[in-house]
Amino acid sequence: MSNFVIPAPPLATVPVEGTAARFPVRRILCVGRNYAAHRREMGGDDRDPPFFFTKPADAVVTPGEDAAYPTLTSNLHHEMELVVAIGKGGTNIPVGEALDHIFGYAAGVDLTRRDIQNAAKDKGQPWDASKGFDRSAPISAIRPWTGPAPQGRITLSVNGQVKQDATVADMIWSVPEIVAEASKLWALAPGDLIYTGTPEGVGPLVRGDTVTGEIEGVGSLSFKVV
Ligand code: MN
């Protein structure tokens, strides 16, 4: 197909460790409130289960790129997250089969316009402008992976100062549970990315900040806010 009335949008892609071939991004799902300590710092009720929201595929900011400070916010926040890269699609995927659908993992940051999100919460409005804005999804290279999901340390620093330091194993929904839950709501397909939620310690970023994040065994990312 090359017969379009306007230029076709470029495909968003993410590098993959150990190969020149890239991972094509179909869409980005995100989990909210998947760590108890973060749910508390956001004022959430301890009984509320995690939930999903989305970002557009072309929100990815890949290694070597800067993140642009977005318009219409004065409270941009970092949220360090393990990212699942789906390699095999499905609907109603059983928890016990979920790992078979995963191509690999990456380290990601769910950038958030916290002031717009708080206003949306107050008014019962959607989160799109607070979460799904342009260049809101920095991500590392994807590490191909088989076997049990990562469980290790997850950290984020701003200008060398540690802001988030937690353990992926503390997620409320585990990686297999996230894949299973997502596949009840959407038909998952190769190319889907799932940001799995952030631990406690989220906070503001300003122009000029250098953000570095690492997930034990998975990888690291670094970007500047310009
Ligand atoms: Mn998040």
Side-chain angles (χ1 to χ4, degrees):
M1 280 286 288
S2 58
N3 187 23
F4 298 111
V5 296
I6 55 168
L11 184 65
T13 66
V14 177
V16 176
E17 277 189 15
T19 174
R22 295 175 73 92
F23 184 90
V25 183
R26 176 172 177 261
R27 64 176 161 195
I28 303 174
L29 306 178
C30 304
V31 182
R33 307 224 172 136
N34 201 26
Y35 290 79
H38 172 65
R39 184 169 58 185
R40 285 194 293 275
E41 77 179 350
M42 289 288 102
D45 188 308
D46 275 2
R47 293 162 299 184
D48 286 343
F51 53 86
F52 291 96
F53 57 92
T54 67
K55 293 175 187 269
D58 66 359
V60 289
V61 177
T62 53
E65 295 183 321
D66 294 324
Y69 197 95
T71 57
L72 297 182
T73 185
S74 51
N75 197 16
L76 177 68
H77 269 209
H78 56 77
E79 298 191 355
M80 183 68 198
E81 312 199 359
L82 174 70
V83 182
V84 175
I86 297 293
K88 182 182 151 195
T91 53
N92 294 315
I93 298 167
V95 171
E97 296 174 15
L99 294 179
D100 300 338
H101 293 259
I102 294 172
F103 170 79
Y105 297 90
V109 177
D110 164 19
L111 291 175
T112 302
R113 284 167 163 146
R114 192 71 74 201
D115 40 5
I116 291 181
Q117 185 194 34
N118 288 338
K121 285 180 187 171
D122 289 345
K123 295 173 185 166
Q125 292 177 346
W127 282 16
D128 302 63
S130 65
K131 289 291 198 178
F133 54 90
D134 297 341
R135 305 179 68 70
S136 58
I139 188 168
S140 71
I142 294 168
R143 176 166 289 181
W145 194 287
T146 54
Q151 299 285 311
R153 194 172 176 190
I154 178 169
T155 57
L156 179 141
S157 298
V158 180
N159 304 324
Q161 197 170 16
V162 177
K163 301 292 187 183
Q164 295 187 268
D165 188 350
T167 305
V168 171
D170 287 342
M171 291 198 302
I172 294 167
W173 279 348
S174 67
V175 166
E177 287 169 339
I178 289 167
V179 172
E181 290 294 327
S183 75
K184 295 176 190 172
L185 288 162
W186 298 278
L188 296 184
D192 290 344
L193 295 176
I194 309 177
Y195 282 59
T196 60
T198 194
E200 67 276 18
V202 301
L205 296 169
V206 298
R207 281 191 184 83
D209 280 347
T210 296
V211 178
T212 57
E214 183 168 7
I215 298 174
E216 190 179 351
V218 172
S220 60
L221 82 173
S222 179
F223 62 90
K224 195 167 177 179
V225 180
V226 299

